[in-house]
Amino acid sequence: MSEDSNREFPEVIGENVTELLSRLDDHISDSLFQQDLRQSLKQLSNVKFALDESSIVAVTDHKGKILYVNDKFCEISKYPRTELIGRDHRIINSGYHEKEFMSDLWQTISSGQVWRGEIKNKGKDGSFYWVDTTIVPFVDEQGQSYQYLAIRNEVTELKRVQEELQLMMSQVMQIQEEERRKFSRELHDGIGQSLFSLLIQMDRLIGEGESENSEITLLRQNVSGIIEEVRSLAWQIRPSVLDDLGVVPAIRTYIENFTNHYGMRVKLDSNLRRRLGALEETTVYRVIQEALTNIAKYADVSEASVVVHEIDSYVEVRIADSGKGFARNSIAKGVGLFSMEERAKSIGGKVTIDSVVGEGTIVTLMVPMK
């Protein structure tokens, strides 16, 4: 098929195939060629029918100007076909996606590659809807994209359920952290202080003449050990310094305890000079905690690094090691990785995990600053 005939694709798929076949009968004698052509057009008609019944379809030229839309496109966008043809897709732009998102989409398809993703659009009546989208470029003999076929399926209800689930997950995490905060305070200020008072009373008894080898001295040592365990437990549940002083002091203290416990050197590089929101600080702390714990358990290394930097309107957190690494698509997603990703989503952030077997792992968290 010639390039010119390819460029007429929007008109062909929109034309009545029966009428086209009738016109062919008037010009082409009955032959094997005619039978093949009729069969090809019938198949094209069947494909068009299937697409129209199941999907939202649009064809644009290389500049993004709309050449063809099917009925489902008009139905979901609330625009009549006459108001869509000749326009570009900015007519249904919801403003939800960042410029980088749309630039990546355009760069992908203009280079001849298929793009897949979910897009939030806006109808003529102001309503918003989500579509799962596949954009297929048509490429000429020189490898240049000259038309794009976009096939979409509405997923608005699915996105609504996902957003509700995400909100619920966020609320559960907030409740969990609040309970941790209360329990940690109770351990430290309640049970911890009571045990400390008991320790003072024992010191008084010992000072009044009790033998250093007496049972009261041994009991004092046991109580002192319990106090340290209670403090350690309270810290692990939720460190008070995170609420009192902020995430950077909390990270520094955690790294000190981590190094003492695992014997692993962790280098911290931070230029964060401001307090973040409570949820953001908790997310940063928990992601670092989870990532370092995974390094200690699985990476088989003696050192790691943690970077916390302000970059434009984001805080970038990067935890890296040069250990064993792993092929993520070859293993089930662990609870720890899932927890990090869900925490990031709950604050509008994002976690990416890059790992190469034998080279190490980098966990990157991007936190938007408000």
Side-chain angles (χ1 to χ4, degrees), residues 97-136:
H97 301 282
E98 297 179 353
K99 290 182 179 179
E100 292 76 12
F101 176 89
M102 303 308 296
S103 295
D104 175 71
L105 184 159
W106 183 254
Q107 184 177 2
T108 300
I109 62 176
S110 60
S111 63
Q113 301 178 54
V114 176
W115 185 91
R116 296 178 179 86
E118 293 178 339
I119 301 177
K120 185 176 183 178
N121 288 332
K122 183 179 180 179
K124 185 177 181 179
D125 62 352
S127 61
F128 295 97
Y129 60 94
W130 281 90
V131 283
D132 183 54
T133 303
T134 299
I135 304 178
V136 181

Side-chain angles (χ1 to χ4, degrees), residues 9-10 13 47-48 51-52 54-61 64-74 76 88-89 92 102 105-106 109 113-117 119 121 129 131-138 146-154:
F9 177 74
I13 66 173
V47 170
K48 178 182 182 299
L51 282 175
D52 285 340
S54 63
S55 304
I56 303 159
V57 181
V59 178
T60 67
D61 66 11
K65 184 174 67 175
I66 298 173
L67 303 176
Y68 168 83
V69 293
N70 69 348
D71 291 340
K72 281 188 176 293
F73 192 109
C74 298
I76 193 171
D88 60 36
H89 277 79
I92 55 173
M102 303 308 296
L105 184 159
W106 183 254
I109 62 176
Q113 301 178 54
V114 176
W115 185 91
R116 296 178 179 86
I119 301 177
N121 288 332
Y129 60 94
V131 283
D132 183 54
T133 303
T134 299
I135 304 178
V136 181
F138 293 166
Y146 64 85
Q147 277 185 1
Y148 304 109
L149 171 63
I151 302 173
R152 302 173 173 90
N153 290 285
E154 185 182 7

